[in-house]
Amino acid sequence: MRRAATPLLALTVGFVLADSAIVTLALPEILRRLGGTVPQVAWVLIAFNLVLALVVVPAAWVCAHRDPAPLCAAGIAVFAGASAACALAGSMPVLIAARSVQALGGAFALVGCLELLAAVAGERRGVACWIAAGVIGTALGPVVGGLLTGTISWRAIFVVQVPVAVLAVPAALSVRRGAVQRTEMQRPAVAPNVALLLLSAALTAALFLLVLLLVDGWGRSPAIAALAVSVVPVAAFAATPLARLARAGPRAETAAGCLLVAGGLTALALLPSANLAWTIAPQALIGLGLGLTVNRLTVDALRDRVPRVLHGGWTISARHAGVVLGLAILTPVFTADLRDAQVPAQEAITALVLDAPLPAQHKVALAQGLSDQLTKERGRVPDLHPAFARLQLGPAERPAAEQLERNLDSQLERAATQAFRNSFLIAAGLALLALVPMILPRGRVTT
Amino acid sequence: MTSAATLRAWAFPVVAAVLVSGVLGVQIANGGGDFVPARSAPPCAQRAVTSVSTGIEGLSERLVLMGLDGAACRLHVTREALALELAQSRTPTDAQVNALRAGLLEAVDRMKAAGTLPPASELTDEALDNSHLNGLIKAAIRALPDSLINSALKTDDVLRRTINALDLRSLLANLNDPNELSQQINAAVTKAVEDSLAARLRDLL
């Protein structure tokens, strides 16, 4: 079991950090199945990240003063139990509560794993493994979640975590750390942690908003959206060898990373059409930026600081506080923009229906059907196809109706894309803001 | 730090900035930023109105679309906003009803001036098919020469009388009920034809 401890503990770190964004692609499906509003479903994400951000530093403090193995094992067990509860949740409040408990267990699991990986694999390799697992988990989370939602169900996201977590419990208990050493507490590294916070807030937009745009705005399936957003992790993996090749130094890497994330988000705000191909280059920029910054900033925040577990806790706290900050800033902006986009979208649709080359009786029937769909979708981007399916058209009228449906869908895609523009631009601003703590002169490590 | 290292440290963010500029440049060149919903035309702008339908249905559709334009211009709202408002609120305001009637009457004038109003004889057969008249009377009217029908009935006059006779408020309320709508319009057209013929007779006498 001790031999399997390293991969199992790394997998646990990956899963817990993936959970921050793993439900992103499932949110529209959860919204449909459990009901509620967009701000409510955002709490499925916010609750996890908020609890993790608040609990992880105290959890790290406890792990620094007690044997981390049983604490880590207990954390993983709680995480597994809460994951099962998430899978069985029948209502939004139950799911949000279970997500909070998941984060509570996840906090102990994360910081415990840092100590245990360092004990098993050695200080340098253990920490590197912990950081890499976190970056991979964060980048892959939405993709895995989307594929599971698309192929099985949103509940599968939580079911698959249970067996891995169950196996990781004995793995954690098998590791024995050396005697607890009393060391002085060093202050957390402010600059890299603040930069991590701001970048995480910006990356939330990339992962959360892009997925919502693809699934809810453009009507793509979660599986297709998952494949589309897989560009981010692929580019993130490419960043490390690229940085090694360039040997530009930590500051240059993080500065370039912040610029790439900000540029990618700006590019998402200026998409020329709803073709998925246009999202590839912006995502590649974001992925490269993610790979260059998060890894480097985490290493920077941990370097030469003791106790290691506490500073690891600070990086996790900063990242997840950033996610909460991003959601808190961006959710009201894009929900208000989506609401404001309804009138221009309705007017554009009305113009197309009035001028459509269809007999008047079909136009009236279509207008009624479209109105019913808008009412049924309660403010979400509607699926217009049922209104067209109800029309009794002759063969000569079908091509015009099909063209009209395509044109109406295009207007909806345009309205949705425009509604996300401000949020992407704000997120780009947050990524640029992350440059500030990196530019400021660094203080020395103090206790 | 050696000069090579300094160069590398500066070059890396510069390369990132160039990469970002390239992506943004390509996107903007392909219409990035202009991917927004189509804007409504100004309410008083002249618009070419067409219909795929022919006969009375085509004429009615063109009249309604032009009338909607005229009403929107009078109310200083876009045609689309007015259409949505009329469709969504079951109780149109007096101002909306008056603007719609004025818009429809103006549409008749515009079509007459443009010479796009069909002569009455072109609409007679279809009107008789939809009417509840006795079969003998229908046959008798169909036997009349077009010139006689056109001199007795002027399309613009019939349309104006129909528009004035229509209860637009209840017409808007019945938009989703084709039978009720058709009954209302038939009754208004029949009355307009009768009134027009009576007025013509009065003029002749």
Side-chain angles (χ1 to χ4, degrees):
Chain A
M1 184 48 77
R2 201 179 149 85
R3 193 177 299 168
T6 304
L8 279 171
L9 294 176
L11 207 56
T12 304
V13 173
F15 263 124
V16 175
L17 288 175
D19 254 74
S20 164
I22 202 166
V23 287
T24 308
L25 267 158
L27 291 181
E29 180 69 9
I30 292 171
L31 196 60
R32 266 192 288 278
R33 300 285 175 204
L34 300 186
T37 61
V38 171
Q40 277 174 339
V41 82
W43 272 97
V44 178
L45 278 180
I46 294 171
F48 182 89
N49 289 288
L50 185 62
V51 172
L52 193 54
L54 291 173
V55 174
V56 73
V57 173
W61 189 88
V62 176
C63 281
H65 292 84
R66 300 270 182 277
D67 182 4
L71 290 168
C72 181
I76 297 170
V78 170
F79 179 78
S83 295
C86 287
L88 296 171
S91 69
M92 197 70 87
V94 172
L95 179 60
I96 292 169
R99 288 277 289 164
S100 304
V101 179
Q102 230 194 348
L104 184 71
F108 280 91
L110 278 176
V111 287
C113 282
L114 174 60
E115 286 302 87
L116 300 184
L117 280 168
V120 173
E123 170 81 28
R124 198 178 156 82
R125 277 195 62 201
V127 172
C129 181
W130 184 79
I131 293 172
V135 173
I136 292 167
T138 305
L140 275 179
V143 180
V144 173
L147 288 175
L148 287 169
T149 305
T151 51
I152 308 171
S153 142
W154 67 268
R155 295 183 192 277
I157 291 172
F158 299 106
V159 173
V160 296
Q161 299 181 22
V162 178
V164 175
V166 166
L167 280 174
V169 172
L173 288 171
S174 72
V175 182
R176 283 283 167 267
R177 189 182 71 165
V180 175
Q181 291 173 347
R182 298 279 166 202
T183 52
E184 279 192 272
M185 297 272 177
Q186 287 176 328
R187 282 208 318 230
V190 176
N193 277 316
V194 171
L196 270 176
L197 183 143
L198 292 166
L199 264 173
S200 297
L203 287 166
T204 302
L207 299 172
F208 175 63
L209 294 179
L210 178 60
V211 157
L212 271 186
L213 175 64
L214 296 185
V215 177
D216 251 11
W218 294 357
R220 303 294 196 279
S221 71
I224 294 289
L227 287 176
V229 299
S230 64
V231 177
V232 174
V234 170
F237 293 142
T240 310
L242 200 74
R244 215 172 285 148
L245 202 72
R247 288 182 293 133
R251 277 198 172 196
E253 279 176 30
T254 43
C258 290
L259 283 176
L260 288 168
V261 173
L265 286 163
T266 309
L268 285 177
L270 299 171
L271 291 170
S273 83
N275 190 326
L276 289 176
W278 281 113
T279 67
I280 293 174
Q283 286 189 74
L285 296 180
I286 292 165
L288 281 174
L290 168 73
L292 286 174
T293 50
V294 175
N295 211 335
R296 176 60 69 184
L297 289 168
T298 309
V299 171
D300 216 9
L302 288 178
R303 185 182 294 129
D304 302 332
R305 281 186 156 80
V306 288
R308 174 189 51 227
V309 66
L310 191 61
H311 294 285
W314 278 113
T315 64
I316 298 292
S317 182
R319 281 167 62 173
H320 293 273
V323 175
V324 175
L325 176 75
L327 290 170
I329 293 173
L330 300 173
T331 307
V333 174
F334 86 82
T335 45
D337 285 349
L338 265 181
R339 210 170 31 244
D340 292 345
Q342 281 178 23
V343 171
Q346 281 179 352
E347 290 194 6
I349 285 173
T350 306
L352 285 169
V353 173
L354 285 174
D355 296 331
L358 283 172
Q361 78 222 35
H362 290 328
K363 291 190 196 179
V364 172
L366 190 58
Q368 183 60 44
L370 293 173
S371 168
D372 291 348
Q373 281 304 113
L374 285 171
T375 312
K376 195 174 150 196
E377 299 285 348
R378 290 182 300 149
R380 281 182 236 149
V381 181
D383 175 12
L384 304 181
H385 185 68
F388 282 87
R390 280 199 292 271
L391 287 181
Q392 293 176 333
L393 299 165
E397 292 151 354
R398 278 217 179 92
E402 283 164 7
Q403 182 60 48
L404 178 63
E405 187 176 350
R406 280 194 293 275
N407 291 344
L408 297 190
D409 283 338
S410 165
Q411 291 303 321
L412 288 181
E413 287 171 349
R414 284 165 178 268
T417 309
Q418 191 187 21
F420 282 81
R421 180 171 297 167
N422 289 337
S423 304
F424 281 129
L425 288 176
I426 292 171
L430 289 169
L432 284 180
L433 216 55
L435 276 171
V436 176
M438 304 316 300
I439 293 165
L440 292 175
R442 307 281 179 87
R444 60 185 180 81
V445 176
T446 52
T447 57
Chain B
M1 196 186 265
T2 63
S3 58
T6 311
L7 188 69
R8 274 201 301 270
W10 277 103
F12 207 54
V14 171
V15 169
V18 169
L19 214 57
V20 167
S21 308
V23 171
L24 289 176
V26 170
Q27 290 197 183
I28 289 167
N30 282 278
D34 297 329
F35 191 58
V36 295
R39 289 190 216 293
S40 300
C44 298
Q46 287 279 337
R47 194 193 313 258
V49 172
T50 55
S51 168
V52 290
S53 305
T54 53
I56 294 174
E57 191 180 316
L59 174 64
S60 309
E61 189 182 353
R62 277 181 287 145
L63 265 178
V64 168
L65 289 176
M66 289 169 78
L68 201 57
D69 277 346
C73 179
R74 280 175 172 74
L75 294 168
H76 308 294
V77 293
T78 63
R79 170 186 75 150
E80 291 73 22
L82 177 61
L84 282 168
E85 216 171 304
L86 291 173
Q88 282 162 1
S89 85
R90 293 293 171 198
T91 50
T93 63
D94 287 345
Q96 286 172 332
V97 170
N98 293 338
L100 202 52
R101 199 183 301 281
L104 288 167
L105 290 170
E106 188 193 323
V108 174
D109 293 340
R110 274 177 57 199
M111 286 179 81
K112 190 186 176 193
T116 52
L117 275 181
S121 58
E122 272 186 27
L123 307 172
T124 311
D125 277 351
E126 194 184 341
L128 288 172
D129 288 345
N130 295 335
S131 77
H132 301 295
L133 288 173
N134 180 292
L136 277 174
I137 299 173
K138 283 186 184 181
I141 296 174
R142 280 199 172 101
L144 291 173
D146 285 353
S147 56
L148 184 64
I149 292 173
N150 291 338
S151 64
L153 284 175
K154 299 291 176 203
T155 310
D156 60 311
D157 183 53
V158 173
L159 287 175
R160 277 194 202 93
R161 286 175 192 281
T162 305
I163 291 164
N164 284 321
L166 275 175
D167 179 357
L168 289 178
R169 205 179 291 277
S170 92
L171 194 79
L172 289 167
N174 290 328
L175 272 180
N176 300 325
D177 185 346
N179 290 334
E180 187 65 31
L181 202 65
S182 160
Q183 269 182 21
Q184 254 183 287
I185 293 172
N186 276 345
V189 171
T190 307
K191 186 168 184 318
V193 170
E194 284 171 6
D195 290 351
S196 182
L197 283 173
R200 193 92 182 118
L201 274 173
R202 267 199 305 276
D203 289 347
L204 287 173
L205 291 171

